[in-house]
Amino acid sequence: MLVLVTGGAGFIGSHIVTALVDAGHDVRILDTHTPAGPPAGVTVVHADVRDRAAVTDALRGVDVVCHQAAMVGLGKEFADAPDYVSRNDLGTAVLLAAMAETRVSRLVVAGSMVVYGEGRYDCARHGTVRPGPRRVADLDHGRFEPPCPHCGQPLAPGLVTEDAPLDPRNVYAVTKVTQEHLAACWARAVQGRAVALRYHNVYGPGMPRDTPYAGVASIFRSALARGEAPRVFEDGGQRRDFVHARDVAAANLAALAAEPEPGTLRAYNVGSGTPHTVGEMAAALAAAYGGPAPVVTGEYRLGDVRHITASSQRLRDELGWRPWTGFVDGMAEFAKAPLRPASETGAE
């Protein structure tokens, strides 16, 4: 099988390329960057995913597209919005149009947990509820937990499933929702098969360093490399699902064999299934690195959500996927693993 991996020179994309080659697939990369030491036999097309002619040419003979190219992370300011929309949504639209032209009918697209906004919450009185965006006044006073929107009482966070309503809370999240909608429209129009893998907090060797667009694990690891304590926002109690990049790559391989109904998109969460707080992650990483202990700052970022953790049961049941890298072992490896130079745009 010939697989085109857009963004194959990036952090997650490079892990996917390695896994594909190890599984015996032929791989072609489309990326604006040059991959660092791609496996033997991998061909590279140096182009932007928004370049229709280059993308069309790169699709010749391809059996399935693994679409990883994107501008990632929470932007520094709203002025980043045009870049996010152009790179993520226009880029996806160009790719899908070229796929329709060249009759490539299978797609795996990199989704994200951010499409859900806040995760699942249960109120003792009102059952499962969806809190609205957190108020600035509450955040300023250190009230980080979202209350029940009906009675104002504390909520218990749980695991979000793929059937949860989509509720993006920042520009990046909006573009990831749009990518899925575009993929679903393409599938209906050409009777294609599309899979969206909604990644949770991915970490592992090769993450970009020293960039505000990177994931929190990379930001903490970069601080430790500079001899600084990781700075943990809010009170450190934010719950996340940290999943290793190799497990994410394995999920992409499993998705290649997925058989959704023609004309449909099937979404899957990709998480470890074992939530940890951001504070716990920072402490584990600092201990494994041998650096200074984390500092909890009480700062916050508008657009961040409090808790978002995944149920990946659908991926396990339907595609037979399992995560293999545990939290302790993964963080110990990541603490010593090399990072890649930062991208100025946050693109991968």
Side-chain angles (χ1 to χ4, degrees), residues 259-272:
E259 293 289 342
E261 287 295 321
T264 65
L265 177 143
R266 186 68 165 162
Y268 297 93
N269 287 333
V270 184
S272 72

Side-chain angles (χ1 to χ4, degrees), residues 78-154:
F78 195 82
D80 291 330
D83 281 341
Y84 275 105
V85 172
S86 178
R87 292 173 183 272
N88 297 357
D89 297 338
L90 176 59
T92 299
V94 170
L95 172 67
L96 294 173
M99 289 176 66
E101 178 184 341
T102 55
R103 301 186 183 278
V104 179
S105 61
R106 298 182 69 93
L107 172 71
V108 179
V109 60
S112 174
M113 66 176 189
V114 297
V115 300
Y116 299 115
E118 290 283 354
R120 177 192 171 110
Y121 292 88
D122 291 302
C123 173
R125 180 178 174 186
H126 294 98
T128 301
V129 297
R130 291 194 62 79
R134 296 182 294 172
R135 299 187 308 168
V136 171
D138 288 336
L139 296 171
D140 284 342
H141 286 86
R143 296 189 292 268
F144 301 120
E145 294 288 344
C148 175
H150 306 296
C151 65
Q153 293 302 303

